[in-house]
Amino acid sequence: MRPHHRMLSLLLWMAALSTALLLLLSSPATAATPPSATLDMVLLEDPQGTLALEDAIAAAARFRPGSPNVGGTTSAYWMRFKVRNPGAVPVTWWFDTGNRTLQEVDFYQPDSYGGWQHLATGSRFPFAQRPLPTDTFVFPLTLAAGASTDIYLRVRSTGYLGVTLLPRLWTKSAFLQAAQEARRAWLTYLGMTTALGAFYLMLWLYLRERNYLLYALSLASIVWAISSTGGGFGAAFQLFWPNSPLFEQCTWMLSQLPVTWLPVLFACRLVDLPARMPRLTRQLWRLIKASSVAMLAMVLLTATQRTDLAPVLQVVYVLGWLFWLPVYPLMGYAMAREAWRGDRMARYFCLAYTPSIVVAAYISTQALRGLPPDLAHMLWASAFELLVTALALADYLNHEHREKVTTQEALLDSTRRTEQELERKVLQRTVELNAERERARELVHTILTSEGWRADGDSFHR
């Protein structure tokens, strides 16, 4: 095996081990639902969103079994959960909706006075208004020993994201452990990407090589998308803009705009796709422009905060998804074709894009089916992509440097040969001039000698 192939294999193994560590850190907790807690659910659709709790209780016979993942809809949904505590001691559970994007979330549980305790939250409120400081909407639920009760959950989406829930009962310790593991994985991801981005940004400031800047911008766009798109993964809302719920809702799609453009532009530059596959590149940019228009429309409509625009938002969302979905498969095809033809950079991108394409397609399909996306998988997929593309950029610039050095050496060698040839010709000409000078001297000497003899002869005759 050649030395540079061995080095490449070593670097790829390092990237794989790093992402495996990140995957291990981002794996969900095993104790998701305590065995002592059970959840039975039925639901009721409220198309107009006007039913109050008393109306939902009165309409108990209209509740039907169903999935909490309703998908794209503008209706409000009432969900009734039967919760039992077979234990011998009172317990306080945390009821996790598994959602962080619903605009309207109302939780009702019986109180000790025969009434109902009401907790209201949603993405349209500041983070501090949540019942518990968690990334998803979580509510405390206390139940006496051996008791069972009904709790009601009213949810409604007034944006482009549908009703997608994953209801679970946690003990406080189990939830905090799972949240800590997820936060650790997210912070590890941020630390890794920040170091990579800072390194390449400093290289750009020093060398002014555009590809360094483009990689740093692509990396920043991917990190923002992971942390914000569709509610994101991590705690960006809590840490960075907790008092700006409108901006938080806009970032769900606003973060998709740069990540749709910059990584594709970076890959196209390194592989030179516009020159090699001009027709596919033009089609690719048409799709990106169309999906960007849909994304921008969703951001602007979300900023209006008009609930009556929810049907329009959801239609635009589906259209934008249809435009966006072929982008990375087309990129994958282009890279695979160039890799088959022997392009070194294309082989890097084939390796880098494969996990992201699979995970992105899976998450998009989940979203359309009304299932909550598992963004932890996108976390490690994007980490792997960033590491491999960083290696690709380093290899690309190293290859350019070697070509430059080779060109300079060839130029120096050519200059040396030219100088040697010139010296040889000068020396040869010098020898020829010396020979000509010697012949001229001999000729002059011969002429002068002949003239001398002639002069002596004339004197003798006189």
Side-chain angles (χ1 to χ4, degrees):
M1 185 180 288
R2 296 178 182 177
H4 68 275
H5 286 172
R6 287 197 295 268
M7 179 59 68
L8 177 60
S9 299
L10 176 61
L11 293 174
L12 293 179
W13 272 109
M14 291 173 61
L17 289 174
S18 301
T19 49
L21 175 62
L22 193 61
L23 177 59
L24 180 63
L25 291 172
S26 63
S27 60
T30 56
T33 305
S36 58
T38 58
L39 280 176
D40 297 326
M41 189 208 76
V42 289
L43 70 163
L44 170 68
E45 183 179 5
D46 178 12
Q48 304 302 321
T50 56
L51 295 181
L53 175 63
E54 294 76 13
D55 301 321
I57 295 174
R62 292 166 50 195
F63 278 80
R64 295 288 183 269
S67 170
N69 299 306
V70 181
T73 178
T74 58
S75 299
Y77 274 84
W78 285 88
M79 301 180 184
R80 187 178 69 215
F81 298 89
K82 175 73 71 174
V83 184
R84 303 178 183 87
N85 176 22
V89 294
V91 65
T92 296
W93 288 312
W94 283 14
F95 179 86
D96 180 15
T97 64
N99 182 281
R100 58 174 76 193
T101 61
L102 289 168
Q103 283 76 17
E104 299 176 13
V105 183
D106 295 274
F107 180 79
Y108 299 88
Q109 64 174 316
D111 59 22
S112 56
Y113 304 102
W116 292 87
Q117 180 186 3
H118 176 208
L119 298 174
T121 187
S123 59
R124 58 196 175 100
F125 298 107
F127 188 86
Q129 194 164 329
R130 299 188 178 191
L132 294 169
T134 56
D135 297 329
T136 55
F137 304 123
V138 181
F139 304 92
L141 171 62
T142 302
L143 205 58
S148 66
T149 188
D150 289 338
I151 60 174
Y152 287 86
L153 183 70
R154 179 190 179 274
V155 294
R156 187 185 185 189
S157 172
T158 58
Y160 57 88
L161 295 174
V163 175
T164 58
L165 286 88
L166 187 62
R168 288 175 291 184
L169 282 178
W170 300 76
T171 61
K172 179 180 178 181
S173 59
F175 183 91
L176 292 178
Q177 179 185 355
Q180 184 179 17
E181 291 175 359
R183 181 69 62 87
R184 187 187 302 118
W186 183 62
L187 292 176
T188 302
Y189 175 77
L190 288 186
M192 181 197 74
T193 53
T194 300
L196 272 176
F199 175 71
Y200 279 100
L201 190 60
M202 286 188 293
L203 284 178
W204 172 73
L205 289 173
Y206 181 73
L207 299 174
R208 297 297 175 177
E209 167 61 45
R210 287 185 182 180
N211 287 325
Y212 286 133
L213 177 62
L214 193 54
Y215 175 79
L217 293 176
S218 300
L219 182 146
S221 70
I222 292 173
V223 173
W224 186 21
I226 291 292
S227 302
S228 293
T229 298
F233 182 90
F237 182 30
Q238 179 183 2
L239 297 179
F240 302 136
W241 46 81
N243 298 317
S244 303
L246 177 57
F247 179 73
E248 166 66 10
Q249 293 181 68
C250 290
T251 60
W252 299 343
M253 187 53 64
L254 192 62
S255 60
Q256 274 291 99
L257 281 168
V259 81
T260 302
W261 286 81
L262 293 172
V264 176
L265 181 60
F266 173 71
C268 286
R269 279 180 60 90
L270 257 62
V271 183
D272 197 19
L273 277 187
R276 298 182 178 185
M277 304 179 69
R279 293 181 60 185
L280 185 141
T281 305
R282 287 194 297 269
Q283 186 62 33
L284 194 65
W285 288 117
R286 290 191 191 102
L287 290 171
I288 290 175
K289 290 175 183 177
S291 61
S292 298
V293 170
M295 292 174 193
L296 187 58
M298 282 185 278
V299 172
L300 295 176
L301 291 174
T302 300
T304 63
Q305 292 288 278
R306 289 179 53 182
T307 59
D308 59 312
L309 294 177
V312 179
L313 269 168
Q314 293 180 7
V315 171
V316 174
Y317 174 68
V318 173
L319 290 175
W321 177 84
L322 292 174
F323 285 126
W324 177 84
L325 189 60
V327 170
Y328 278 95
L330 282 177
M331 282 293 297
Y333 165 74
M335 295 301 167
R337 181 179 175 182
E338 293 305 314
W340 181 262
R341 293 177 173 179
D343 186 86
R344 188 179 180 84
M345 291 298 103
R347 291 173 179 173
Y348 273 107
F349 282 107
C350 283
L351 180 64
Y353 281 158
T354 299
S356 295
I357 290 174
V358 173
V359 174
Y362 173 68
I363 288 178
S364 298
T365 305
Q366 275 188 315
L368 283 185
R369 291 172 57 196
L371 299 176
D374 187 357
L375 294 179
H377 291 89
M378 182 56 80
L379 191 73
W380 69 259
S382 70
F384 184 81
E385 176 185 338
L386 291 172
L387 285 170
V388 175
T389 51
L391 295 176
L393 179 58
D395 187 65
Y396 172 81
L397 295 170
N398 181 50
H399 182 68
E400 278 199 339
H401 174 71
R402 283 186 297 176
E403 284 189 343
K404 184 177 180 181
V405 170
T406 302
T407 303
Q408 289 176 343
E409 289 178 351
L411 182 61
L412 288 174
D413 187 57
S414 175
T415 303
R416 274 193 230 102
R417 288 198 301 269
T418 302
E419 289 177 350
Q420 291 173 356
E421 181 67 19
L422 183 60
E423 289 177 358
R424 186 187 65 80
K425 290 182 176 180
V426 168
L427 180 61
Q428 180 181 358
R429 185 59 181 165
T430 302
V431 172
E432 291 174 353
L433 289 176
N434 288 337
E436 291 291 337
R437 190 180 302 113
E438 187 63 28
R439 285 196 296 270
R441 187 182 298 114
E442 292 177 356
L443 179 62
V444 170
H445 177 72
T446 302
I447 293 173
L448 291 177
T449 303
S450 300
E451 289 295 331
W453 280 104
R454 186 177 300 140
D456 292 343
D458 290 344
S459 301
F460 177 76
H461 288 296
R462 283 196 296 267

